[in-house]
Amino acid sequence: MEPISRLESLPTELTITILNDLNLYTLLGCRRLSSHIKSIIDDTPILQYKIELGITGMTDGPNTTMTIEERRTRLKNYQDAWANVESKAMEASPTPMTGQRWKLVGGVLALSRGPRS
């Protein structure tokens, strides 16, 4: 019997437990073993959460009462917020002491020294 066949013959719950103990790179590599293992990984929320955390470079926090789906939703909202971050430009105004114009653009305060700078 081949090793992949033995892994596929285990109960799904045991396979999920084994896969959940793997590090991210090994877990991603296991998706290539067979379509059966790939479907287990792709259809299991805890394994998907582990992959999504790894992609963002984050790790799971201490034990919490939140479900995996709630954690995945928070992670998605966090990623969406960072993907859609926008800076707001402030209108330039002369400084009282020098008469020079400062402008905040993209979170950077810049000093204008004339119409072309």
Side-chain angles (χ1 to χ4, degrees):
M1 194 181 258
E2 294 180 17
I4 292 175
S5 300
R6 285 188 223 144
L7 182 61
E8 289 178 348
S9 67
L10 292 173
T12 304
E13 295 80 11
L14 183 56
T15 304
I16 291 170
T17 301
I18 292 168
L19 292 170
N20 194 35
D21 284 340
L22 300 175
N23 67 40
L24 174 66
Y25 300 105
T26 306
L27 179 62
L28 291 173
C30 285
R31 290 181 78 242
R32 294 182 279 160
L33 290 176
S34 70
S35 59
H36 176 71
I37 300 298
K38 181 181 183 306
S39 69
I40 290 174
I41 293 171
D42 292 347
D43 296 339
T44 306
I46 185 97
L47 298 176
Q48 283 303 299
Y49 177 64
K50 186 172 187 171
I51 291 170
E52 291 162 4
L53 272 178
I55 289 170
T56 62
M58 299 173 79
T59 56
D60 205 4
N63 291 339
T64 180
T65 58
M66 288 192 309
T67 66
I68 292 301
E69 286 307 317
E70 290 170 330
R71 291 180 195 189
R72 288 181 73 193
T73 300
R74 284 187 82 176
L75 179 61
K76 182 177 180 342
N77 291 342
Y78 177 82
Q79 289 174 302
D80 290 345
W82 273 107
N84 298 316
V85 112
E86 293 181 18
S87 61
K88 298 186 180 190
M90 295 176 64
E91 187 164 325
S93 60
T95 57
M97 294 195 292
T98 63
Q100 297 173 328
R101 297 178 65 85
W102 289 86
K103 188 173 184 180
L104 183 63
V105 179
V108 176
L109 191 60
L111 175 63
S112 173
R113 297 189 186 266
R116 295 182 151 194
S117 62

